[in-house]
């Protein structure tokens, strides 16, 4: 029996079939695939910026929307003229595109900051939150998906599938409020809101080269208490946003592990006496990770969308939090700039994920 268990996998002994004349070699289209996917970033961002521009202007010019009723009519008309918002809409659109392509997203009306400054200041917080959420999604979704496949059609499988549905069906703001109520108000274990205590924030901001990513800045201080404080503030927001994606990962892993368990090489392992748990843990889960990598780009878009509600719920001052503030202030210039930046982040992330998926699975290229 030991000899049978130690025998090499039948797939490793199977000779690769000879390539038929005229067939494409594996990997031959990789460079072409990467170039095409990179070029698709441009129309993706262009379409989203265009849609956001015309939707924002459908209610009038930004100055009238933000300051209407607060300024005398002559002063309001003067500001509208100086900003060029009395010109035809198509002229404003091409002027805006010219500014965007040069990296100028305008200046906010509510707090008179350059939109690029807002993006740099608050973008790091949103990326940090998305990073925490992805860690939670992988830690929760992948192992539980493997467990659900192992207990297929049994009680544990049904319970985990219900848990997955609850994860991505529960509104993220409701999950956040529930977590705050339990772990902050009732138990008092974790902070209610913010990214760090005020004292630790001042310590990190006083660094010579702060990155805006608090975890990195906390390590730069060299104080374990600051690192612990930053991580404590990140737990609840990371869980609230991460569970949104963990449910998707759980279902994907379960489905693909079950599919892999029905393949010939797994059946060969069963016939040699390999246990079901070892088959799931050693052989079936790796192919199941390919679909997760493939859909990760879409999940980044979902995370950034959920970040708006998560950051507002936990007062996590990132792009989502600022976007909600600017929407309330009807600061459409700021909204357009933030949405354009989020579009760029999503498009670039999808490109990177597609390239990784193509490197792992050549079938993606064709």
């Amino acid at each position: 029996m030991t000899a049978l268990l130690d025998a090499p996998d039948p797939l490793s002994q199977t000779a690769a079939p000879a390539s038929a004349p005229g067939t494409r070699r594996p990997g031959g289209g990789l460079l072409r695939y990467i170039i095409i996917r990179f070029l698709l970033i441009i129309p993706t961002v262009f379409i989203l910026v265009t849609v956001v521009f015309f939707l924002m202007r459908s209610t009038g010019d930004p100055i009238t929307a933000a300051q209407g009723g607060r300024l005398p009519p002559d002063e309001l008309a003067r500001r509208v003229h100086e900003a060029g918002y009395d010109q035809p809409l198509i002229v404003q659109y091409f002027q805006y595109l010219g500014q965007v392509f040069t990296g100028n997203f305008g200046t906010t009306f509510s707090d008179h900051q350059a939109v690029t400054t807002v993006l740099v200041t608050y973008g790091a917080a949103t990326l940090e939150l998305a990073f925490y959420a992805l860690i939670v999604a992988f830690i929760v979704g992948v192992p539980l998906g493997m467990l659900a496949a192992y207990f297929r059609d049994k009680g544990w499988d049904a319970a985990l599938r219900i848990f997955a549905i609850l994860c991505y069906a529960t509104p993220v703001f409701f999950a956040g409020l529930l977590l705050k109520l339990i772990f902050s108000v009732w138990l008092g274990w974790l902070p209610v809101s913010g990214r760090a205590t005020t004292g630790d924030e001042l310590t990190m901001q006083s660094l010579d080269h702060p990155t805006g990513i608090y975890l990195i800045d906390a390590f730069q201080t060299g104080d374990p208490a600051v690192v612990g404080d930053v991580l404590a503030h990140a737990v609840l927001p990371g869980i609230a946003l991460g569970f949104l994606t963990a449910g998707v990962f759980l279902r994907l892993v379960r489905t693909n592990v079950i599919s892999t368990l029905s393949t010939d090489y797994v059946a060969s392992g069963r016939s040699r006496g390999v246990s079901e748990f070892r088959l799931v843990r050693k052989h079936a889960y790796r192919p199941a990770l390919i679909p997760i990598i493939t859909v990760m780009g879409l999940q980044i878009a979902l995370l950034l969308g959920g970040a708006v509600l998560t950051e507002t719920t936990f007062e996590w001052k990132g792009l989502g939090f600022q976007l909600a503030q600017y929407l309330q202030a009807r600061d459409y210039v700021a909204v357009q700039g933030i949405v354009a930046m989020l579009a760029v982040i999503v498009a670039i992330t999808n490109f990177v994920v597609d390239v990784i998926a193509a490197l792992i699975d050549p079938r993606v290229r064709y």
Side-chain angles (χ1 to χ4, degrees):
M1 179 61 71
T2 304
L4 289 174
L5 291 177
D6 294 336
D9 191 276
L11 291 181
S12 63
Q13 297 179 344
T14 304
S19 300
T23 58
R24 298 171 64 180
R25 292 181 300 170
L30 178 59
L31 180 60
R32 178 174 176 271
Y33 175 82
I34 292 175
I35 293 174
I36 292 175
R37 285 295 297 117
F38 180 77
L39 293 177
L40 286 176
I41 295 176
I42 299 174
T44 301
V45 176
F46 171 76
I47 292 172
L48 187 53
V49 167
T50 301
V51 170
V52 171
F53 176 87
F54 285 105
L55 283 178
M56 292 290 99
R57 300 302 174 85
S58 63
T59 58
D61 66 87
I63 294 180
T64 302
Q67 303 292 335
R70 303 178 183 178
L71 297 174
D74 55 344
E75 176 65 17
L76 184 63
R78 184 185 66 82
R79 293 192 181 187
V80 169
H81 177 71
E82 288 179 352
Y85 292 131
D86 55 349
Q87 298 181 17
L89 190 59
I90 190 65
V91 175
Q92 298 181 44
Y93 169 67
F94 283 110
Q95 289 177 347
Y96 177 70
L97 284 184
Q99 292 177 348
V100 170
F101 287 138
T102 58
N104 179 15
F105 292 93
T107 304
T108 64
F109 293 122
S110 55
D111 51 11
H112 305 290
Q113 294 188 79
V115 176
T116 51
T117 302
V118 175
L119 297 175
V120 172
T121 303
Y122 298 100
T126 298
L127 292 178
E128 186 177 9
L129 178 59
F131 173 73
Y132 293 141
L134 277 177
I135 290 177
V136 171
F138 274 108
I139 291 176
V140 174
V142 174
L144 292 185
M146 294 170 58
L147 196 64
Y150 180 73
F151 292 106
R152 178 184 180 183
D153 298 330
K154 296 180 181 179
W156 278 107
D157 181 25
L160 290 172
R161 279 185 288 170
I162 293 173
F163 171 74
I165 294 172
L166 290 175
C167 282
Y168 57 74
T170 303
V172 66
F173 69 89
F174 177 77
L177 291 174
L178 190 62
L179 289 171
K180 287 172 67 173
L181 181 64
I182 295 173
F183 294 101
S184 298
V185 178
W186 290 352
L187 299 176
W189 291 352
L190 296 168
V192 176
S193 61
R195 298 177 62 195
T197 59
T198 304
D200 290 340
E201 283 189 339
L202 294 175
T203 300
M204 290 183 286
Q205 291 171 5
S206 64
L207 293 170
D208 293 335
H209 302 288
T211 63
I213 299 177
Y214 275 14
L215 186 59
I216 296 177
D217 293 341
F219 278 110
Q220 288 189 54
T221 64
D223 188 348
V226 178
V227 177
D229 180 58
V230 169
L231 291 175
H233 281 79
V235 171
L236 294 184
I239 290 176
L241 187 56
F243 271 33
L244 183 68
T245 306
V248 178
F249 285 179
L250 194 158
R251 295 295 296 266
L252 276 173
V253 171
R254 175 190 178 274
T255 301
N256 286 280
V257 168
I258 290 175
S259 175
T260 306
L261 288 174
S262 63
T263 56
D264 292 338
Y265 77 89
V266 173
S268 174
R270 284 198 191 95
S271 67
R272 289 186 279 120
V274 180
S275 68
E276 194 74 9
F277 180 75
R278 181 179 175 83
L279 289 173
V280 171
R281 185 171 59 89
K282 288 290 186 181
H283 303 287
Y285 89 96
R286 292 180 182 175
L289 294 181
I290 295 176
I292 289 183
I293 296 173
T294 304
V295 303
M296 192 183 296
L298 299 175
Q299 298 309 310
I300 292 294
L302 182 65
L303 287 176
L304 291 177
V308 176
L309 296 174
T310 306
E311 291 179 3
T312 304
T313 303
F314 290 96
E315 296 184 18
W316 184 282
K317 294 184 178 180
L319 285 181
F321 180 84
Q322 288 301 117
L323 181 61
Q325 300 298 313
Y326 287 132
L327 282 171
Q328 291 179 359
R330 295 188 176 184
D331 195 333
Y332 294 161
V333 174
V335 172
Q336 288 174 176
I338 292 175
V339 172
M341 177 56 65
L342 293 178
V344 171
I345 292 173
V346 172
I348 293 177
T349 304
N350 274 280
F351 166 72
V352 173
V353 168
D354 287 344
V355 171
I356 294 174
L359 291 173
I360 295 175
D361 187 0
R363 295 172 299 177
V364 174
R365 309 170 202 168
Y366 304 112

